[in-house]
Amino acid sequence: MLLSRESLEENQVGVYAVALIIGGIVGLVSPRIGGLLEPLVSIVIAILLFSMFSQIPFLKLREALSNRRFIGALLLVNFILIPLLVFILIKIFPQPSPVLIGVCLVLLTPCIDYVIVFTQLGKGNEKLILASTPILFVVQMIMLPIYLWLFIGTEASEIVRIGPFVEAFVYLIMVPLFFALVIQFLAKRNAGGIKALHFTAWLPVPFMAIVLFLVIGSQIDKVVKDFSIIVAVIPIYLLFHILSPVIARIISALFGIGPSDGRALIFSAGTRNSLVVLPLALTLPGEMATVAASVVVTQTIIELLAELLYINLVPNYIYREV
């Protein structure tokens, strides 16, 4: 029996679970191999996003960006309510400075890359999320130093560098977007372009599985080594991923946002910029960098597991069709 794209998508959670397990085994058995996997993460995410962008009708992006109600809710959730949630969580579960910096770095920055993929997989409006990425990018660059100063102090706010954010936006958003537009342009001109466009529709599930394998395989050893230090942040991350969808769902109802757009808001609230802020954590001095980076990586692993639950729970339970 030939594998169809529909059957692959229907069984995607099982595919992702297998990828996570294999990645964990590889990373634990051979940390050296895990280290070799790390540079591949950004490349594969770029290919994944290219495959997703290729399926998006970009002529409708202007319509998405004009959705002021959604943009207002998005800014309220990500830059007022989520920071308030983070502030409460770090007060309930106080942490030493290196750990606290890692927690704040990762939880205060909304994702601007693979959140688009998870939104689509969770039956949300990925066009809205894509159209919102420049806004999220600019606002988080402005607000992150302010939040770090308020939550931790002057020393923490000074570590923010714009470089990793700009690189992520260019290489993970703009470059894949350009090639996706090329494919769509060719598809309107000749049969070869149409075949290429159809081929890209097969890529999201396998490349998401590869991303999960690479992230877990390259990072699991670091988490295990520093587990005695970072175990205290796990309750923060678990509560964050439980409460952030609830917050976004309530705001969706208050703003009168429909199911597809509301799911997009939920995924944005629950998906953080972990792969982008990791370089910021590594700029900290000495042992502080190792601890903060491990804290960020721990969030990445927990988030990936949460996303696998979200893509089923969000459309079927948290925000179902009326």
Side-chain angles (χ1 to χ4, degrees):
M1 180 174 150
L2 292 175
L3 178 67
S4 68
R5 180 161 59 90
E6 289 74 19
S7 64
L8 187 63
E9 291 174 351
E10 288 173 1
N11 294 285
Q12 59 188 287
V13 174
V15 174
Y16 301 152
V18 171
L20 286 170
I21 293 170
I22 295 175
I25 293 171
V26 170
L28 291 173
V29 171
S30 178
R32 186 180 67 85
I33 293 178
L36 296 175
L37 298 177
E38 188 168 2
L40 301 175
V41 173
S42 294
I43 298 171
V44 177
I45 287 178
I47 297 172
L48 172 63
L49 288 168
F50 158 72
S51 67
M52 289 296 307
F53 292 165
S54 297
Q55 311 308 310
I56 296 175
F58 285 99
L59 292 177
K60 296 184 178 180
L61 282 185
R62 181 182 298 177
E63 175 187 337
L65 196 55
S66 66
N67 189 334
R68 295 181 180 178
R69 182 179 299 180
F70 175 82
I71 298 299
L74 185 75
L75 294 175
L76 173 63
V77 168
N78 276 305
F79 298 109
I80 296 179
L81 300 181
I82 290 299
L84 182 60
L85 172 63
V86 174
F87 182 76
I88 293 171
L89 290 175
I90 63 176
K91 291 302 179 184
I92 296 174
F93 302 97
Q95 304 295 326
S97 184
V99 175
L100 189 58
I101 291 175
V103 170
C104 289
L105 273 176
V106 71
L107 292 186
L108 293 171
T109 50
C111 183
I112 58 171
D113 40 66
Y114 62 67
V115 64
I116 301 164
V117 180
F118 284 120
T119 300
Q120 193 270 348
L121 295 175
K123 299 180 181 178
N125 190 339
E126 75 277 7
K127 295 189 294 296
L128 269 180
I129 293 296
L130 175 59
S132 303
T133 54
I135 299 171
L136 291 175
F137 167 71
V138 172
V139 177
Q140 70 183 270
M141 279 309 308
I142 295 170
M143 296 304 298
L144 181 58
I146 297 173
Y147 290 137
L148 292 177
W149 174 70
L150 289 173
F151 292 5
I152 305 174
T154 305
E155 181 182 353
S157 66
E158 290 175 350
I159 72 168
V160 175
R161 301 289 182 271
I162 194 172
F165 289 86
V166 173
E167 289 177 11
F169 188 74
V170 171
Y171 294 117
L172 298 182
I173 299 293
M174 298 310 296
V175 172
L177 184 57
F178 169 77
F179 284 106
L181 289 171
V182 170
I183 287 289
Q184 291 189 6
F185 176 80
L186 293 175
K188 293 182 178 180
R189 298 296 187 276
N190 56 67
I194 294 173
K195 289 181 180 178
L197 189 62
H198 287 326
F199 175 74
T200 62
W202 280 84
L203 301 182
V205 173
F207 271 87
M208 175 57 78
I210 295 171
V211 167
L212 297 175
F213 165 77
L214 292 174
V215 171
I216 299 298
S218 63
Q219 305 299 331
I220 190 69
D221 182 61
K222 299 173 185 176
V223 172
V224 170
K225 284 181 179 178
D226 291 321
F227 190 74
S228 61
I229 299 173
I230 64 177
V231 65
V233 306
I234 292 178
I236 295 177
Y237 292 152
L238 291 177
L239 284 171
F240 177 88
H241 286 294
I242 291 170
L243 295 174
S244 58
V246 175
I247 292 170
R249 179 64 181 89
I250 291 171
I251 296 302
S252 294
L254 292 176
F255 276 64
I257 296 173
S260 179
D261 297 358
R263 292 170 195 150
L265 184 65
I266 291 169
F267 275 97
S268 182
T271 313
R272 304 288 91 187
N273 226 358
S274 53
L275 299 179
V276 175
V277 299
L278 184 58
L280 295 180
L282 292 171
T283 64
L284 294 168
E287 186 68 19
M288 187 180 287
T290 303
V291 174
S294 296
V295 169
V296 171
V297 168
T298 302
Q299 192 278 338
T300 306
I301 293 173
I302 292 175
E303 177 177 277
L304 291 175
L305 295 172
E307 296 287 354
L308 296 185
L309 295 175
Y310 285 172
I311 60 178
N312 178 263
L313 294 176
V314 171
N316 294 317
Y317 299 98
I318 298 176
Y319 208 153
R320 293 181 295 179
E321 294 287 348
V322 178

